[in-house]
Amino acid sequence: MNKTIGIVVAMEKEMRLLPDILTDKERIDAPSFHAVVGMVGDNKVIYALSGIGKVAAAVCAAELIRRYSPDFLINVGVSGGMGDAVELLDTIVSTAVCYHDVSCGCDVAWGQVQGFPLYYPVSD
């Protein structure tokens, strides 16, 4: 079962980590889209560089979807977090995500956009 997998990263140093495992690589350097496209086994992988920030990630993801219609879209990168059980260099896979930089006033929780849920579940 061949799949198309889109992977979005924010920084060039993250971009350099994966493309070595790709075969039949092609680099895409369009004015608004930078990616390496290749194969991992029978699966097409598009490894796209977005730039830093959620707007840049959203624009990159939208362009990746427009160009390739991936079966899966993964955002990979360095982030921060807090928790008693979290150690330096741990890999964390979220079960839900939320905004950290939104305040719509006292009548909704910090991070919640009015009319929308505070948390968004992720795909299994």
Side-chain angles (χ1 to χ4, degrees), residues 7 21 30 42 64 96 109:
I7 301 174
I21 69 169
D42 292 332
L64 195 152

Side-chain angles (χ1 to χ4, degrees), residues 97-121:
V97 296
C98 67
Y99 291 103
H100 73 283
D101 58 351
V102 172
S103 176
C104 292
C106 298
D107 52 340
V108 294
W110 179 269
Q112 184 175 9
V113 176
Q114 286 179 321
F116 292 92
L118 174 58
Y119 297 104
Y120 295 86

Side-chain angles (χ1 to χ4, degrees), residues 13-95:
K13 64 183 174 181
E14 296 164 329
M15 184 77 170
R16 290 190 299 263
L17 296 176
L18 183 65
D20 285 346
I21 69 169
L22 301 177
T23 60
D24 302 322
K25 289 186 271 190
E26 174 190 5
R27 186 157 182 99
I28 308 295
D29 281 312
S32 63
F33 188 72
H34 304 283
V36 175
V37 181
M39 300 297 292
V40 175
D42 292 332
N43 300 303
K44 178 186 267 186
V45 175
I46 303 95
Y47 200 63
L49 177 64
S50 68
I52 295 171
K54 63 185 174 186
V55 173
V59 169
C60 181
E63 185 64 11
L64 195 152
I65 291 166
R66 185 185 75 77
R67 287 175 181 244
Y68 298 99
S69 300
D71 297 294
F72 302 99
L73 183 60
I74 303 167
N75 189 347
V76 176
V78 177
S79 65
M82 297 185 300
D84 293 337
V86 177
E87 299 289 334
L88 186 63
L89 300 176
D90 279 354
T91 298
I92 307 298
V93 178
S94 62
T95 57

